[in-house]
Short mmCIF file of all heavy atoms in Angstrom, two decimals:
data_model
loop_
_atom_site.label_atom_id
_atom_site.label_comp_id
_atom_site.label_asym_id
_atom_site.label_seq_id
_atom_site.Cartn_x
_atom_site.Cartn_y
_atom_site.Cartn_z
N MET A 1 9.43 -101.20 77.74
CA MET A 1 9.84 -99.92 77.22
C MET A 1 9.21 -98.83 78.08
O MET A 1 8.01 -98.70 78.15
CB MET A 1 9.40 -99.82 75.75
CG MET A 1 9.64 -98.49 75.17
SD MET A 1 9.40 -98.29 73.39
CE MET A 1 8.03 -99.27 72.96
N GLU A 2 10.02 -98.07 78.73
CA GLU A 2 9.54 -97.00 79.60
C GLU A 2 9.32 -95.74 78.79
O GLU A 2 10.06 -95.43 77.87
CB GLU A 2 10.58 -96.74 80.69
CG GLU A 2 10.02 -95.97 81.84
CD GLU A 2 11.00 -95.91 83.00
OE1 GLU A 2 11.55 -96.97 83.33
OE2 GLU A 2 11.20 -94.81 83.51
N GLN A 3 8.27 -95.03 79.12
CA GLN A 3 7.93 -93.83 78.38
C GLN A 3 8.15 -92.60 79.24
O GLN A 3 7.81 -92.58 80.41
CB GLN A 3 6.47 -93.87 77.93
CG GLN A 3 6.19 -94.98 76.97
CD GLN A 3 4.73 -95.01 76.57
OE1 GLN A 3 3.92 -94.30 77.13
NE2 GLN A 3 4.40 -95.84 75.63
N THR A 4 8.71 -91.58 78.61
CA THR A 4 8.86 -90.31 79.29
C THR A 4 7.55 -89.55 79.14
O THR A 4 6.72 -89.90 78.30
CB THR A 4 10.01 -89.49 78.67
OG1 THR A 4 9.68 -89.20 77.31
CG2 THR A 4 11.33 -90.24 78.74
N PRO A 5 7.32 -88.51 79.93
CA PRO A 5 6.07 -87.76 79.81
C PRO A 5 5.81 -87.22 78.40
O PRO A 5 4.68 -87.09 77.99
CB PRO A 5 6.24 -86.61 80.81
CG PRO A 5 7.21 -87.13 81.81
CD PRO A 5 8.13 -88.04 81.04
N GLN A 6 6.87 -86.93 77.63
CA GLN A 6 6.69 -86.41 76.29
C GLN A 6 6.26 -87.51 75.31
O GLN A 6 5.67 -87.22 74.29
CB GLN A 6 7.98 -85.76 75.76
CG GLN A 6 8.39 -84.52 76.49
CD GLN A 6 9.14 -84.81 77.79
OE1 GLN A 6 9.67 -85.90 77.98
NE2 GLN A 6 9.18 -83.85 78.70
N GLN A 7 6.58 -88.77 75.62
CA GLN A 7 6.22 -89.86 74.74
C GLN A 7 4.91 -90.47 75.19
O GLN A 7 4.74 -90.78 76.36
CB GLN A 7 7.29 -90.96 74.76
CG GLN A 7 8.59 -90.57 74.13
CD GLN A 7 9.57 -91.70 74.25
OE1 GLN A 7 9.70 -92.32 75.29
NE2 GLN A 7 10.28 -91.97 73.17
N MET A 8 4.01 -90.65 74.24
CA MET A 8 2.75 -91.28 74.56
C MET A 8 2.53 -92.38 73.55
O MET A 8 2.75 -92.19 72.35
CB MET A 8 1.63 -90.24 74.46
CG MET A 8 0.32 -90.71 74.97
SD MET A 8 -0.82 -89.31 75.08
CE MET A 8 -2.18 -90.00 74.18
N ALA A 9 2.10 -93.55 74.02
CA ALA A 9 1.83 -94.65 73.10
C ALA A 9 0.72 -94.21 72.15
O ALA A 9 -0.21 -93.52 72.56
CB ALA A 9 1.40 -95.88 73.89
N PRO A 10 0.82 -94.60 70.88
CA PRO A 10 -0.22 -94.18 69.94
C PRO A 10 -1.58 -94.76 70.32
O PRO A 10 -1.67 -95.91 70.76
CB PRO A 10 0.26 -94.73 68.60
CG PRO A 10 1.28 -95.74 68.91
CD PRO A 10 1.83 -95.42 70.26
N LEU A 11 -2.62 -93.97 70.17
CA LEU A 11 -3.97 -94.43 70.46
C LEU A 11 -4.54 -95.21 69.29
O LEU A 11 -5.41 -96.07 69.49
CB LEU A 11 -4.87 -93.23 70.76
CG LEU A 11 -4.48 -92.39 71.97
CD1 LEU A 11 -5.40 -91.18 72.09
CD2 LEU A 11 -4.50 -93.22 73.22
N SER A 12 -4.06 -94.90 68.09
CA SER A 12 -4.51 -95.63 66.91
C SER A 12 -3.33 -95.88 65.99
O SER A 12 -2.32 -95.18 66.06
CB SER A 12 -5.60 -94.83 66.17
OG SER A 12 -5.07 -93.61 65.71
N VAL A 13 -3.47 -96.92 65.16
CA VAL A 13 -2.40 -97.29 64.23
C VAL A 13 -3.00 -97.60 62.86
O VAL A 13 -4.17 -97.94 62.75
CB VAL A 13 -1.58 -98.50 64.74
CG1 VAL A 13 -0.81 -98.15 66.00
CG2 VAL A 13 -2.48 -99.70 65.00
N SER A 14 -2.17 -97.50 61.84
CA SER A 14 -2.59 -97.79 60.48
C SER A 14 -2.83 -99.29 60.31
O SER A 14 -2.43 -100.10 61.16
CB SER A 14 -1.52 -97.33 59.49
OG SER A 14 -0.36 -98.13 59.66
N VAL A 15 -3.44 -99.66 59.20
CA VAL A 15 -3.65 -101.08 58.91
C VAL A 15 -2.31 -101.79 58.79
O VAL A 15 -2.14 -102.90 59.30
CB VAL A 15 -4.50 -101.26 57.63
CG1 VAL A 15 -4.58 -102.72 57.22
CG2 VAL A 15 -5.89 -100.68 57.83
N GLU A 16 -1.34 -101.15 58.16
CA GLU A 16 -0.02 -101.75 58.00
C GLU A 16 0.64 -101.98 59.36
O GLU A 16 1.22 -103.04 59.61
CB GLU A 16 0.87 -100.85 57.13
CG GLU A 16 0.46 -100.80 55.67
CD GLU A 16 -0.76 -99.92 55.39
OE1 GLU A 16 -1.19 -99.13 56.28
OE2 GLU A 16 -1.29 -100.01 54.28
N GLU A 17 0.54 -101.01 60.25
CA GLU A 17 1.11 -101.15 61.60
C GLU A 17 0.33 -102.20 62.39
O GLU A 17 0.92 -102.97 63.15
CB GLU A 17 1.09 -99.80 62.32
CG GLU A 17 1.74 -99.81 63.68
CD GLU A 17 3.25 -100.00 63.65
OE1 GLU A 17 3.85 -99.98 62.57
OE2 GLU A 17 3.83 -100.17 64.74
N SER A 18 -0.99 -102.26 62.19
CA SER A 18 -1.81 -103.28 62.84
C SER A 18 -1.33 -104.67 62.44
O SER A 18 -1.20 -105.56 63.28
CB SER A 18 -3.29 -103.12 62.46
OG SER A 18 -3.79 -101.89 62.89
N ALA A 19 -1.07 -104.84 61.15
CA ALA A 19 -0.59 -106.13 60.65
C ALA A 19 0.74 -106.50 61.30
O ALA A 19 0.95 -107.65 61.71
CB ALA A 19 -0.45 -106.08 59.13
N ARG A 20 1.63 -105.52 61.41
CA ARG A 20 2.93 -105.78 62.03
C ARG A 20 2.77 -106.17 63.49
O ARG A 20 3.38 -107.13 63.97
CB ARG A 20 3.83 -104.55 61.92
CG ARG A 20 5.28 -104.81 62.34
CD ARG A 20 6.08 -103.54 62.44
NE ARG A 20 5.62 -102.66 63.51
CZ ARG A 20 5.83 -102.88 64.83
NH1 ARG A 20 6.43 -103.96 65.23
NH2 ARG A 20 5.38 -102.02 65.72
N ILE A 21 1.90 -105.45 64.21
CA ILE A 21 1.66 -105.74 65.62
C ILE A 21 1.09 -107.14 65.80
O ILE A 21 1.49 -107.88 66.70
CB ILE A 21 0.71 -104.68 66.23
CG1 ILE A 21 1.43 -103.33 66.33
CG2 ILE A 21 0.18 -105.12 67.59
CD1 ILE A 21 0.51 -102.15 66.63
N LEU A 22 0.15 -107.51 64.92
CA LEU A 22 -0.50 -108.81 65.03
C LEU A 22 0.37 -109.94 64.47
O LEU A 22 0.10 -111.11 64.73
CB LEU A 22 -1.84 -108.79 64.28
CG LEU A 22 -2.88 -107.83 64.85
CD1 LEU A 22 -4.09 -107.78 63.91
CD2 LEU A 22 -3.30 -108.25 66.24
N GLY A 23 1.38 -109.60 63.69
CA GLY A 23 2.25 -110.62 63.11
C GLY A 23 1.61 -111.34 61.94
O GLY A 23 1.89 -112.52 61.71
N ILE A 24 0.74 -110.64 61.21
CA ILE A 24 0.07 -111.22 60.05
C ILE A 24 0.24 -110.28 58.86
O ILE A 24 0.73 -109.17 59.01
CB ILE A 24 -1.44 -111.47 60.34
CG1 ILE A 24 -2.17 -110.17 60.68
CG2 ILE A 24 -1.61 -112.51 61.44
CD1 ILE A 24 -3.67 -110.33 60.88
N SER A 25 -0.18 -110.75 57.69
CA SER A 25 -0.04 -109.93 56.49
C SER A 25 -1.06 -108.80 56.47
O SER A 25 -2.07 -108.84 57.17
CB SER A 25 -0.21 -110.79 55.23
OG SER A 25 -1.56 -111.20 55.11
N ARG A 26 -0.78 -107.84 55.63
CA ARG A 26 -1.69 -106.70 55.47
C ARG A 26 -3.03 -107.19 54.91
O ARG A 26 -4.10 -106.76 55.36
CB ARG A 26 -1.05 -105.67 54.54
CG ARG A 26 -1.77 -104.35 54.49
CD ARG A 26 -0.98 -103.37 53.66
NE ARG A 26 -1.06 -103.74 52.25
CZ ARG A 26 -1.60 -102.98 51.31
NH1 ARG A 26 -2.04 -101.79 51.60
NH2 ARG A 26 -1.66 -103.39 50.08
N SER A 27 -2.99 -108.11 53.95
CA SER A 27 -4.24 -108.61 53.36
C SER A 27 -5.05 -109.40 54.38
O SER A 27 -6.28 -109.31 54.41
CB SER A 27 -3.98 -109.43 52.10
OG SER A 27 -3.16 -110.53 52.38
N ALA A 28 -4.38 -110.17 55.25
CA ALA A 28 -5.09 -110.90 56.30
C ALA A 28 -5.73 -109.90 57.28
O ALA A 28 -6.84 -110.15 57.77
CB ALA A 28 -4.14 -111.83 57.05
N THR A 29 -5.06 -108.80 57.53
CA THR A 29 -5.62 -107.76 58.40
C THR A 29 -6.87 -107.16 57.78
O THR A 29 -7.89 -107.00 58.46
CB THR A 29 -4.57 -106.67 58.69
OG1 THR A 29 -3.40 -107.28 59.23
CG2 THR A 29 -5.10 -105.63 59.66
N TYR A 30 -6.83 -106.87 56.48
CA TYR A 30 -8.01 -106.35 55.80
C TYR A 30 -9.15 -107.37 55.82
O TYR A 30 -10.32 -106.99 55.93
CB TYR A 30 -7.69 -105.94 54.36
CG TYR A 30 -7.12 -104.54 54.25
CD1 TYR A 30 -5.79 -104.33 53.90
CD2 TYR A 30 -7.91 -103.42 54.49
CE1 TYR A 30 -5.27 -103.06 53.80
CE2 TYR A 30 -7.40 -102.14 54.40
CZ TYR A 30 -6.08 -101.96 54.05
OH TYR A 30 -5.57 -100.69 53.96
N GLU A 31 -8.85 -108.66 55.73
CA GLU A 31 -9.88 -109.70 55.81
C GLU A 31 -10.55 -109.68 57.18
O GLU A 31 -11.78 -109.77 57.28
CB GLU A 31 -9.29 -111.07 55.53
CG GLU A 31 -8.98 -111.31 54.07
CD GLU A 31 -8.33 -112.67 53.83
OE1 GLU A 31 -8.61 -113.62 54.58
OE2 GLU A 31 -7.55 -112.77 52.86
N LEU A 32 -9.76 -109.55 58.23
CA LEU A 32 -10.31 -109.48 59.59
C LEU A 32 -11.18 -108.24 59.76
O LEU A 32 -12.22 -108.29 60.42
CB LEU A 32 -9.19 -109.49 60.63
CG LEU A 32 -8.45 -110.82 60.77
CD1 LEU A 32 -7.19 -110.63 61.64
CD2 LEU A 32 -9.35 -111.88 61.37
N ILE A 33 -10.78 -107.15 59.14
CA ILE A 33 -11.57 -105.91 59.20
C ILE A 33 -12.91 -106.14 58.48
O ILE A 33 -13.96 -105.80 58.99
CB ILE A 33 -10.79 -104.73 58.59
CG1 ILE A 33 -9.60 -104.37 59.49
CG2 ILE A 33 -11.70 -103.52 58.36
CD1 ILE A 33 -8.58 -103.44 58.85
N ALA A 34 -12.86 -106.76 57.28
CA ALA A 34 -14.07 -107.01 56.51
C ALA A 34 -15.02 -107.94 57.25
O ALA A 34 -16.25 -107.81 57.15
CB ALA A 34 -13.70 -107.59 55.14
N GLN A 35 -14.46 -108.89 58.02
CA GLN A 35 -15.28 -109.84 58.78
C GLN A 35 -15.81 -109.23 60.08
O GLN A 35 -16.58 -109.85 60.78
CB GLN A 35 -14.45 -111.09 59.13
CG GLN A 35 -14.05 -111.91 57.93
CD GLN A 35 -12.97 -112.93 58.26
OE1 GLN A 35 -12.56 -113.06 59.40
NE2 GLN A 35 -12.50 -113.62 57.25
N GLY A 36 -15.37 -108.02 60.39
CA GLY A 36 -15.83 -107.36 61.61
C GLY A 36 -15.07 -107.79 62.86
O GLY A 36 -15.46 -107.46 63.97
N GLU A 37 -13.98 -108.52 62.68
CA GLU A 37 -13.17 -108.98 63.81
C GLU A 37 -12.37 -107.83 64.43
O GLU A 37 -12.08 -107.84 65.62
CB GLU A 37 -12.22 -110.10 63.38
CG GLU A 37 -12.92 -111.39 63.00
CD GLU A 37 -13.53 -112.10 64.19
OE1 GLU A 37 -12.97 -112.02 65.31
OE2 GLU A 37 -14.58 -112.74 64.01
N ILE A 38 -11.96 -106.90 63.58
CA ILE A 38 -11.21 -105.72 64.03
C ILE A 38 -11.98 -104.50 63.55
O ILE A 38 -12.23 -104.35 62.36
CB ILE A 38 -9.77 -105.70 63.47
CG1 ILE A 38 -8.99 -106.92 63.94
CG2 ILE A 38 -9.06 -104.41 63.86
CD1 ILE A 38 -7.63 -107.07 63.29
N LYS A 39 -12.34 -103.64 64.47
CA LYS A 39 -13.06 -102.41 64.12
C LYS A 39 -12.05 -101.32 63.77
O LYS A 39 -11.03 -101.19 64.42
CB LYS A 39 -13.94 -101.96 65.28
CG LYS A 39 -15.05 -102.93 65.61
CD LYS A 39 -15.89 -102.40 66.76
CE LYS A 39 -16.95 -103.40 67.14
NZ LYS A 39 -16.51 -104.35 68.14
N THR A 40 -12.37 -100.58 62.72
CA THR A 40 -11.51 -99.49 62.28
C THR A 40 -12.36 -98.25 62.03
O THR A 40 -13.58 -98.31 62.04
CB THR A 40 -10.75 -99.86 60.99
OG1 THR A 40 -11.69 -100.10 59.95
CG2 THR A 40 -9.84 -101.07 61.18
N PHE A 41 -11.68 -97.15 61.79
CA PHE A 41 -12.35 -95.90 61.44
C PHE A 41 -11.46 -95.14 60.48
O PHE A 41 -10.29 -95.48 60.31
CB PHE A 41 -12.65 -95.07 62.70
CG PHE A 41 -11.42 -94.67 63.47
CD1 PHE A 41 -10.85 -93.42 63.29
CD2 PHE A 41 -10.83 -95.55 64.38
CE1 PHE A 41 -9.72 -93.05 64.00
CE2 PHE A 41 -9.69 -95.19 65.09
CZ PHE A 41 -9.14 -93.94 64.90
N LYS A 42 -12.04 -94.16 59.82
CA LYS A 42 -11.27 -93.38 58.86
C LYS A 42 -11.14 -91.94 59.33
O LYS A 42 -12.07 -91.37 59.87
CB LYS A 42 -11.94 -93.40 57.49
CG LYS A 42 -11.78 -94.73 56.77
CD LYS A 42 -12.38 -94.69 55.40
CE LYS A 42 -11.32 -94.21 54.44
NZ LYS A 42 -11.71 -94.31 53.03
N ILE A 43 -9.96 -91.41 59.11
CA ILE A 43 -9.71 -89.97 59.26
C ILE A 43 -9.12 -89.56 57.93
O ILE A 43 -8.04 -90.01 57.55
CB ILE A 43 -8.75 -89.67 60.42
CG1 ILE A 43 -9.37 -90.04 61.75
CG2 ILE A 43 -8.35 -88.19 60.38
CD1 ILE A 43 -8.52 -89.75 62.97
N GLY A 44 -9.88 -88.76 57.21
CA GLY A 44 -9.46 -88.42 55.85
C GLY A 44 -9.45 -89.68 55.02
O GLY A 44 -10.42 -90.42 54.98
N ARG A 45 -8.32 -89.97 54.40
CA ARG A 45 -8.19 -91.17 53.57
C ARG A 45 -7.55 -92.32 54.32
O ARG A 45 -7.43 -93.42 53.77
CB ARG A 45 -7.38 -90.82 52.33
CG ARG A 45 -8.14 -89.84 51.43
CD ARG A 45 -7.31 -89.30 50.31
NE ARG A 45 -6.74 -90.35 49.49
CZ ARG A 45 -5.92 -90.14 48.47
NH1 ARG A 45 -5.58 -88.91 48.16
NH2 ARG A 45 -5.44 -91.13 47.77
N ARG A 46 -7.13 -92.09 55.56
CA ARG A 46 -6.44 -93.13 56.33
C ARG A 46 -7.42 -93.97 57.13
O ARG A 46 -8.30 -93.44 57.80
CB ARG A 46 -5.43 -92.50 57.29
CG ARG A 46 -4.30 -91.82 56.57
CD ARG A 46 -3.19 -91.47 57.50
NE ARG A 46 -2.61 -92.70 58.03
CZ ARG A 46 -1.86 -92.76 59.11
NH1 ARG A 46 -1.60 -91.68 59.79
NH2 ARG A 46 -1.36 -93.90 59.51
N ARG A 47 -7.24 -95.29 57.07
CA ARG A 47 -8.01 -96.21 57.90
C ARG A 47 -7.14 -96.57 59.10
O ARG A 47 -5.99 -96.96 58.95
CB ARG A 47 -8.39 -97.46 57.11
CG ARG A 47 -9.18 -98.44 57.96
CD ARG A 47 -9.97 -99.41 57.15
NE ARG A 47 -10.92 -98.82 56.23
CZ ARG A 47 -12.12 -98.35 56.57
NH1 ARG A 47 -12.52 -98.40 57.82
NH2 ARG A 47 -12.92 -97.85 55.66
N LEU A 48 -7.70 -96.40 60.29
CA LEU A 48 -6.96 -96.62 61.52
C LEU A 48 -7.71 -97.58 62.43
O LEU A 48 -8.93 -97.68 62.37
CB LEU A 48 -6.75 -95.29 62.26
CG LEU A 48 -6.02 -94.20 61.50
CD1 LEU A 48 -6.16 -92.87 62.22
CD2 LEU A 48 -4.57 -94.56 61.31
N ALA A 49 -6.95 -98.27 63.26
CA ALA A 49 -7.52 -99.13 64.29
C ALA A 49 -7.05 -98.62 65.64
O ALA A 49 -5.90 -98.21 65.79
CB ALA A 49 -7.05 -100.58 64.10
N LEU A 50 -7.95 -98.62 66.60
CA LEU A 50 -7.55 -98.25 67.96
C LEU A 50 -6.58 -99.31 68.49
O LEU A 50 -6.81 -100.51 68.30
CB LEU A 50 -8.76 -98.17 68.89
CG LEU A 50 -9.72 -97.01 68.67
CD1 LEU A 50 -10.93 -97.17 69.58
CD2 LEU A 50 -9.03 -95.69 68.94
N ALA A 51 -5.54 -98.88 69.17
CA ALA A 51 -4.60 -99.82 69.76
C ALA A 51 -5.33 -100.72 70.76
O ALA A 51 -5.05 -101.92 70.83
CB ALA A 51 -3.46 -99.06 70.44
N SER A 52 -6.29 -100.17 71.48
CA SER A 52 -7.06 -100.97 72.44
C SER A 52 -7.89 -102.03 71.73
O SER A 52 -8.08 -103.13 72.26
CB SER A 52 -7.96 -100.07 73.29
OG SER A 52 -8.85 -99.34 72.46
N GLU A 53 -8.36 -101.75 70.53
CA GLU A 53 -9.13 -102.73 69.75
C GLU A 53 -8.24 -103.91 69.35
O GLU A 53 -8.68 -105.06 69.37
CB GLU A 53 -9.71 -102.05 68.50
CG GLU A 53 -10.44 -102.97 67.57
CD GLU A 53 -11.71 -103.58 68.14
OE1 GLU A 53 -12.31 -103.00 69.06
OE2 GLU A 53 -12.11 -104.66 67.67
N LEU A 54 -6.99 -103.63 69.00
CA LEU A 54 -6.06 -104.72 68.66
C LEU A 54 -5.80 -105.61 69.87
O LEU A 54 -5.75 -106.83 69.74
CB LEU A 54 -4.75 -104.15 68.12
CG LEU A 54 -4.84 -103.38 66.81
CD1 LEU A 54 -3.47 -102.85 66.42
CD2 LEU A 54 -5.42 -104.23 65.71
N LYS A 55 -5.67 -104.99 71.03
CA LYS A 55 -5.45 -105.76 72.25
C LYS A 55 -6.65 -106.66 72.54
O LYS A 55 -6.48 -107.83 72.87
CB LYS A 55 -5.20 -104.81 73.43
CG LYS A 55 -4.88 -105.53 74.70
CD LYS A 55 -4.57 -104.58 75.84
CE LYS A 55 -4.26 -105.39 77.08
NZ LYS A 55 -4.25 -104.62 78.27
N VAL A 56 -7.86 -106.13 72.39
CA VAL A 56 -9.07 -106.93 72.60
C VAL A 56 -9.12 -108.09 71.61
O VAL A 56 -9.44 -109.21 71.98
CB VAL A 56 -10.33 -106.03 72.47
CG1 VAL A 56 -11.60 -106.86 72.39
CG2 VAL A 56 -10.40 -105.05 73.63
N PHE A 57 -8.78 -107.83 70.35
CA PHE A 57 -8.78 -108.88 69.34
C PHE A 57 -7.78 -109.98 69.70
O PHE A 57 -8.10 -111.17 69.62
CB PHE A 57 -8.45 -108.31 67.95
CG PHE A 57 -8.19 -109.39 66.95
CD1 PHE A 57 -9.24 -110.12 66.41
CD2 PHE A 57 -6.90 -109.72 66.56
CE1 PHE A 57 -9.01 -111.15 65.51
CE2 PHE A 57 -6.66 -110.73 65.67
CZ PHE A 57 -7.71 -111.45 65.13
N ILE A 58 -6.58 -109.60 70.11
CA ILE A 58 -5.55 -110.58 70.46
C ILE A 58 -6.01 -111.42 71.65
O ILE A 58 -5.85 -112.64 71.65
CB ILE A 58 -4.21 -109.88 70.77
CG1 ILE A 58 -3.63 -109.28 69.48
CG2 ILE A 58 -3.21 -110.83 71.40
CD1 ILE A 58 -2.48 -108.33 69.69
N GLU A 59 -6.59 -110.78 72.65
CA GLU A 59 -7.07 -111.52 73.81
C GLU A 59 -8.19 -112.48 73.43
O GLU A 59 -8.24 -113.62 73.89
CB GLU A 59 -7.53 -110.55 74.90
CG GLU A 59 -6.38 -109.80 75.54
CD GLU A 59 -6.81 -108.65 76.42
OE1 GLU A 59 -8.01 -108.30 76.46
OE2 GLU A 59 -5.92 -108.07 77.09
N ARG A 60 -9.10 -112.03 72.56
CA ARG A 60 -10.20 -112.88 72.09
C ARG A 60 -9.66 -114.07 71.30
O ARG A 60 -10.09 -115.21 71.48
CB ARG A 60 -11.16 -112.03 71.25
CG ARG A 60 -12.49 -112.65 71.00
CD ARG A 60 -13.48 -111.67 70.37
NE ARG A 60 -13.00 -111.07 69.13
CZ ARG A 60 -12.86 -109.77 68.93
NH1 ARG A 60 -13.16 -108.89 69.86
NH2 ARG A 60 -12.42 -109.32 67.77
N ALA A 61 -8.69 -113.83 70.42
CA ALA A 61 -8.11 -114.89 69.61
C ALA A 61 -7.33 -115.88 70.49
O ALA A 61 -7.38 -117.10 70.25
CB ALA A 61 -7.18 -114.29 68.55
N ALA A 62 -6.64 -115.38 71.51
CA ALA A 62 -5.89 -116.26 72.40
C ALA A 62 -6.84 -117.16 73.19
O ALA A 62 -6.56 -118.35 73.37
CB ALA A 62 -5.02 -115.44 73.34
N LYS A 63 -7.95 -116.59 73.64
CA LYS A 63 -8.95 -117.39 74.36
C LYS A 63 -9.53 -118.48 73.48
O LYS A 63 -9.68 -119.62 73.89
CB LYS A 63 -10.09 -116.50 74.87
CG LYS A 63 -10.00 -116.14 76.31
CD LYS A 63 -11.27 -115.41 76.74
CE LYS A 63 -11.02 -114.72 78.06
NZ LYS A 63 -12.12 -113.91 78.48
N ALA A 64 -9.86 -118.12 72.25
CA ALA A 64 -10.43 -119.08 71.31
C ALA A 64 -9.43 -120.18 70.97
O ALA A 64 -9.80 -121.34 70.82
CB ALA A 64 -10.89 -118.37 70.04
N GLY A 65 -8.15 -119.81 70.90
CA GLY A 65 -7.11 -120.79 70.58
C GLY A 65 -6.78 -121.70 71.75
O GLY A 65 -6.23 -122.78 71.56
N ALA A 66 -7.13 -121.29 72.95
CA ALA A 66 -6.80 -122.08 74.14
C ALA A 66 -7.83 -123.18 74.40
O ALA A 66 -7.65 -124.01 75.26
CB ALA A 66 -6.72 -121.16 75.36
N ARG A 67 -8.91 -123.19 73.65
CA ARG A 67 -9.96 -124.18 73.85
C ARG A 67 -9.56 -125.54 73.33
O ARG A 67 -8.86 -125.75 72.46
CB ARG A 67 -11.25 -123.74 73.15
CG ARG A 67 -11.82 -122.52 73.80
CD ARG A 67 -13.10 -122.12 73.13
NE ARG A 67 -13.49 -120.83 73.69
CZ ARG A 67 -14.42 -120.07 73.18
NH1 ARG A 67 -15.09 -120.45 72.14
NH2 ARG A 67 -14.72 -118.92 73.72
#
């Protein structure tokens, strides 16, 4: 997907969007957050994860699964 200068990939995503990106349920995503596997932060009442954090998690999980 090519981006125009006006479009910028999101730097952070909601827990629901994180779950969709990871292909897991929302509750499984909250479990990973509680276990410290995925770092999140809050802005107001919203809990967000950095898109880069999701990428790091996926790479870490893929490495662990390849063993």
Side-chain angles (χ1 to χ4, degrees):
M1 174 171 37
E2 197 171 313
Q3 296 179 352
T4 63
Q6 294 82 20
Q7 291 178 316
M8 189 170 128
L11 299 176
S12 63
V13 294
S14 67
V15 173
E16 291 77 12
E17 184 69 7
S18 298
R20 189 190 66 74
I21 290 167
L22 296 173
I24 60 176
S25 70
R26 191 175 71 118
S27 59
T29 304
Y30 276 110
E31 286 178 30
L32 290 169
I33 292 167
Q35 295 166 3
E37 293 290 327
I38 299 173
K39 295 181 183 89
T40 62
F41 61 97
K42 286 184 89 172
I43 294 181
R45 294 171 55 183
R46 294 192 65 198
R47 179 160 303 280
L48 302 168
L50 289 174
S52 59
E53 176 66 24
L54 296 178
K55 183 177 180 194
V56 167
F57 170 76
I58 291 168
E59 290 169 352
R60 195 170 55 239
K63 260 187 196 175
R67 293 181 188 167

